[in-house]
Amino acid sequence: MELHDIWFVLIAVLWTGYFFLEGFDFGVGVLTKLLARDRPEKRVLINTIGPVWDGNEVWLLSAGGATFAAFPEWYATLFSGFYLPLLAILVCLIVRGVAFEYRAKRPEENWQRNWETAIFWCSLIPAFLWGVAFGNIVHGVKIDKNFEYVGGIGDLLHPYALLGGLVTLTLFTFHGAVFTALKTVGDIRERARGLALKLGLVTAVVALAFLLWTQADTGNGRSLVALVVAVAALVAALVANQLGREGWSFGLSGVTIVAAVAMLFLSLFPNVMPSTLDASWSLTVTNASSSPYTLKIMTWCAGIATPLVLLYQGWTYWVFRKRIGTQHLADAAH
């Protein structure tokens, strides 16, 4: 296996980690409107992800940085062609971070309600747009012989990409509902489990349609295995949720995300961005990669830094592993 192949796999792992971790906190952000009945319950939901949401975004920075360094042609074409959707995601992530930090700075009702509304929309919009973006990456876009995107914003909004957006939105929200059931106590925990069942059934329908479409369009034997794992894990997550095994349900919903993202990258390889104008104009792991020397240096750096980051983030989750409820908010206020 060549270094550019290894870095394709590593970038796939980074995106998978990002969607696994950021997926549930996007879902929790959406649930602030769908699940919480009052302000204390919204505080509970926000507090479940309060210690970890910013650490989860590190995976996005790592994935973007690795793409820039390992596959500069891919990075250039992706960020120039998808400029508006990626800009919308970036603005949402900025506003969302500010909302988490500023929401409790003042006690006024309107102040807190407005920031909570920002958390909801700035969680929902990226959750949808990431699916649209990856739907276009796998499906292919209009790339010319100079490896430049020559389409418009309307070319990115075709049925396959929009279905991909629905998949990530529903899957992340389901993932967030299961995480909420795992991290809370009392009535909100029971309602989160009930909502998770409904969201999981909707997710199963749209995800199966999207994955089967992907398999029929660009799939292979390896992607078929990933498809089967994703579907089986989602069904098992729903069963575990109904049995009240929140830890298993959360783990299995995470496996669903991992397998689904793996299927997309397995369907994509050896391309990184297919061209719909001419297959010979597609960006591949070969023609889009950096020099072997650059990839070698990156491999050494990643091999040293990545385990340290994983250990630190794992420790963070361990420290903040306890369940919380509205009664804990009252104690904190007192």
Side-chain angles (χ1 to χ4, degrees):
M1 181 179 286
E2 300 289 337
L3 279 177
H4 50 66
D5 297 327
I6 293 174
W7 273 97
F8 178 86
V9 174
L10 291 176
I11 288 171
V13 170
L14 290 171
W15 280 112
T16 303
Y18 174 66
F19 288 142
F20 181 99
L21 296 172
E22 189 85 312
F24 72 74
D25 69 46
F26 279 149
V28 171
V30 174
L31 292 175
T32 57
K33 290 286 188 183
L34 301 183
L35 180 64
R37 291 176 173 173
D38 51 30
R39 178 138 294 110
E41 289 192 349
K42 289 182 180 181
R43 286 181 60 194
V44 169
L45 289 177
I46 293 171
N47 286 355
T48 61
I49 59 173
V52 298
W53 67 267
D54 48 355
N56 294 343
E57 291 186 356
V58 170
W59 289 78
L60 172 61
L61 300 176
S62 300
T67 304
F68 171 77
F71 298 100
E73 288 284 356
W74 183 12
Y75 182 92
T77 304
L78 175 65
F79 279 79
S80 60
F82 295 10
Y83 180 79
L84 288 178
L86 293 178
L87 177 62
I89 291 172
L90 178 61
V91 170
C92 284
L93 293 180
I94 293 172
V95 173
R96 186 169 176 266
V98 172
F100 282 134
E101 297 297 333
Y102 276 73
R103 176 191 157 276
K105 295 297 184 182
R106 291 170 57 179
E108 289 87 348
E109 181 84 9
N110 286 341
W111 174 272
Q112 295 192 4
R113 184 172 59 248
N114 289 339
W115 286 121
E116 288 163 0
T117 300
I119 291 172
F120 170 76
W121 285 109
C122 292
S123 298
L124 185 149
I125 293 172
F128 176 77
L129 288 180
W130 279 126
V132 173
F134 271 82
N136 278 287
I137 291 173
V138 174
H139 178 268
V141 292
K142 294 180 178 180
I143 299 175
D144 65 12
K145 62 182 179 181
N146 297 316
F147 301 139
E148 295 180 0
Y149 178 70
V150 293
I153 186 65
D155 296 312
L156 303 178
L157 303 177
H158 48 85
Y160 177 80
L162 294 175
L163 181 60
L166 289 177
V167 171
T168 51
L169 176 58
T170 56
L171 181 56
F172 290 171
T173 309
F174 167 68
H175 196 40
V178 173
F179 178 79
T180 300
L182 176 65
K183 287 287 293 178
T184 57
V185 295
D187 180 59
I188 193 170
R189 175 188 176 189
E190 298 301 321
R191 284 189 283 113
R193 285 174 52 197
L195 183 58
L197 174 62
K198 298 175 183 177
L199 290 168
L201 293 174
V202 174
T203 301
V205 174
V206 294
L208 183 60
F210 178 76
L211 295 179
L212 288 175
W213 191 344
T214 303
Q215 181 64 28
D217 192 25
T218 59
N220 50 55
R222 293 170 296 181
S223 64
L224 179 60
V225 173
L227 186 157
V228 173
V229 172
V231 173
L234 180 56
V235 173
L238 287 170
V239 173
N241 177 72
Q242 287 303 101
L243 295 176
R245 304 297 297 271
E246 289 101 344
W248 280 99
S249 184
F250 177 71
L252 288 164
S253 68
V255 171
T256 303
I257 293 175
V258 171
V261 177
M263 181 188 175
L264 296 182
F265 278 94
L266 288 170
S267 300
L268 188 61
F269 186 81
N271 294 322
V272 294
M273 282 190 76
S275 172
T276 56
L277 300 178
D278 190 322
S280 64
W281 297 343
S282 297
L283 289 169
T284 68
V285 294
T286 303
N287 64 25
S289 69
S290 294
S291 68
Y293 183 71
T294 300
L295 296 177
K296 185 176 180 179
I297 294 176
M298 289 175 59
T299 303
W300 279 104
C301 294
I304 295 171
T306 302
L308 298 176
V309 173
L310 292 175
L311 286 172
Y312 175 78
Q313 192 163 23
W315 176 78
T316 302
Y317 276 91
W318 175 256
V319 169
F320 295 101
R321 66 189 182 277
K322 297 294 182 65
R323 295 177 183 267
I324 62 173
T326 53
Q327 66 271 29
H328 300 110
L329 301 178
D331 292 339
H334 177 71

